[in-house]
Amino acid sequence: MTSSNPLVQSIISGNAPAAARSAAARGLLPLPQADLLEALVHLITDNDAAIAKSAQETLASQNANDLLQVAKSESAAPSVLGYLASLATAAAEFQDAIATNVSTPDEAIALLARTTTNAGVLEIITLNQQRLIRAPEIIDAVLLNPARTAEAERRARETRREFFEKERGAKQIAEELRARGNSAAAEFFESAELDGFGGALSAEDAWMLAQHLEVSDADIDDSWLARELIEEMLVETAEQTASNAQAVITAERLDLGEVSPERVSLIRRIMFMTVKDRVKFALKGDREARGILVRDSNKVVATAVIHNPRIADKEIENIAAMRTVSEEVLRLVGMNRAWARSYSIIHNLARNPRTPMATAVHILPRIQAKDLKALSENRNISEGVRRQAYRLVQTRAGK
């Protein structure tokens, strides 16, 4: 909020009555242009649909020259400049003003860089190297925009290379992450090898991966991990790495249906790390990372996910139903007393043909009668489990 007008402040803070919000949305209040626009931009997301619609209509009716002057004004509210940047069909002069205004928020410039079809605007955006360094997502947006010129691409790539890739190792990345308050990611990059297939991880990859790390070293218990076990599995060939990554992508498509290009990119970035780093990532990663690594063909990596302190019962319930995880993961789920108290989890385990027979048979006595009968007739599970389910059905029926 930048307005000093008490009425506008009341509207933006959510304290204004509906009548005042409605009047402002229709442009009926005697407000200066800058204050009116700040109120209108806030009101287009009002919970009252009628007020939001009125605000949108009033914004659309504003004089183009007045809006252009606002776009050029460094005193304009950031929220207003952000809204103006979202108008992808605006005239080139208008977009130029937004791109050159030092008060336009970085995220608004990134949006403009993604959506504009004006090559000249992209060139203007890439002239502001300081902004590109401060908000590297703008670089990504420029490079992904098909309207970019060769000059805009050159500037964006040079800035990325000079300030985000050149001579920047994991230690430097860790220092910057720690300065930003992301200690979990900093700890990972301080000790990571990052020398998997194709050489050291790029800075771009590192920043993406950092967003999926949420557990600090202090919260990790790795007493379950036999050192000799992981030492035996540290070496992977390039072919094994690539095959493993593709297997995870295929498994996600089988379980979830269509997988977005962004998700595929994240999978490949994670799966092309070394085994040791993937184990660390499984222990420290967020839900999205856990969903990827639990499908890793390396059992040490996959089981590390189960030991992540942030993993939730709902995730375990989903894992128990997966047919694309290792038997060892399912065995460990079945052995966990806390998870075994959840009927949804043990029911999913019993129905999963990947669950080891000993685990499935062990939990059958806790399965409810109707579900047990269904298991006895389920041709997708092993004959041994189905036969044991049938015996229990007969026993409960007193036969």
Side-chain angles (χ1 to χ4, degrees), residues 33 166 227 322 353 360-361 388 394:
Q33 179 75 4
K166 188 176 181 180
R227 298 299 174 186
M322 288 181 184
V361 169
Q388 182 62 18
Q394 297 296 306

Side-chain angles (χ1 to χ4, degrees), residues 218-283:
D219 297 323
I220 292 175
D221 176 12
D222 60 359
S223 59
W224 60 274
L225 183 58
R227 298 299 174 186
E228 64 274 10
L229 180 61
I230 190 170
E231 291 297 331
E232 292 175 2
M233 310 183 79
L234 285 180
V235 179
E236 273 183 339
T237 65
E239 291 75 17
Q240 288 173 322
T241 302
S243 176
N244 192 16
Q246 187 56 51
V248 171
I249 294 170
T250 301
E252 287 225 345
R253 286 178 175 145
L254 288 173
D255 287 339
L256 307 175
E258 188 60 35
V259 179
S260 69
E262 294 79 12
R263 177 75 171 177
V264 171
S265 177
L266 176 60
I267 292 172
R268 292 183 65 81
R269 280 175 165 88
I270 290 177
M271 298 307 296
F272 277 95
M273 288 192 290
T274 65
V275 176
K276 186 176 179 181
D277 286 342
R278 295 206 306 275
V279 170
K280 293 178 186 174
F281 212 88
L283 289 169

Side-chain angles (χ1 to χ4, degrees), residues 173-355:
I173 293 171
E175 288 173 7
E176 192 159 340
L177 286 167
R178 195 177 297 282
R180 295 185 181 189
N182 192 341
S183 59
E187 290 167 348
F188 175 81
F189 286 110
E190 281 173 338
S191 60
E193 295 178 347
L194 303 180
D195 60 352
F197 179 63
L201 205 67
S202 72
E204 179 185 2
D205 289 339
W207 286 114
M208 173 181 277
L209 293 173
Q211 308 311 308
H212 297 279
L213 288 160
E214 63 179 13
V215 181
S216 295
D217 289 346
D219 297 323
I220 292 175
D221 176 12
D222 60 359
S223 59
W224 60 274
L225 183 58
R227 298 299 174 186
E228 64 274 10
L229 180 61
I230 190 170
E231 291 297 331
E232 292 175 2
M233 310 183 79
L234 285 180
V235 179
E236 273 183 339
T237 65
E239 291 75 17
Q240 288 173 322
T241 302
S243 176
N244 192 16
Q246 187 56 51
V248 171
I249 294 170
T250 301
E252 287 225 345
R253 286 178 175 145
L254 288 173
D255 287 339
L256 307 175
E258 188 60 35
V259 179
S260 69
E262 294 79 12
R263 177 75 171 177
V264 171
S265 177
L266 176 60
I267 292 172
R268 292 183 65 81
R269 280 175 165 88
I270 290 177
M271 298 307 296
F272 277 95
M273 288 192 290
T274 65
V275 176
K276 186 176 179 181
D277 286 342
R278 295 206 306 275
V279 170
K280 293 178 186 174
F281 212 88
L283 289 169
K284 296 171 70 73
D286 63 6
R287 180 173 185 145
E288 195 168 1
R290 293 193 292 268
I292 292 169
L293 289 167
V294 77
R295 295 177 169 89
D296 198 304
S297 63
N298 188 308
K299 293 179 182 178
V300 179
V301 177
T303 55
V305 171
I306 302 299
H307 295 279
N308 185 306
R310 297 287 181 87
I311 197 163
D313 287 357
K314 188 62 180 177
E315 290 176 73
I316 294 297
E317 183 181 329
N318 293 335
I319 289 170
M322 288 181 184
R323 301 188 182 190
T324 53
V325 297
S326 72
E327 293 184 1
E328 180 63 11
V329 168
L330 298 174
R331 186 184 70 82
L332 290 175
V333 170
M335 287 175 58
N336 186 289
R337 292 183 180 180
W339 295 331
R341 285 196 290 268
S342 166
Y343 186 77
S344 298
I345 291 175
I346 64 170
H347 188 206
N348 283 349
L349 284 174
R351 290 183 296 177
N352 192 336
R354 293 280 295 171
T355 301

Side-chain angles (χ1 to χ4, degrees), residues 140-202:
D140 296 335
V142 170
L143 295 177
L144 289 172
N145 192 323
R148 68 188 184 278
T149 63
E151 182 62 14
E153 180 171 352
R154 181 189 66 77
R155 291 180 193 143
R157 291 194 183 281
E158 282 186 359
T159 302
R160 171 184 284 176
R161 184 169 58 254
E162 290 298 317
F163 293 91
F164 293 96
E165 292 179 358
K166 188 176 181 180
E167 297 179 357
R168 288 196 58 198
K171 296 292 184 183
Q172 291 170 286
I173 293 171
E175 288 173 7
E176 192 159 340
L177 286 167
R178 195 177 297 282
R180 295 185 181 189
N182 192 341
S183 59
E187 290 167 348
F188 175 81
F189 286 110
E190 281 173 338
S191 60
E193 295 178 347
L194 303 180
D195 60 352
F197 179 63
L201 205 67
S202 72

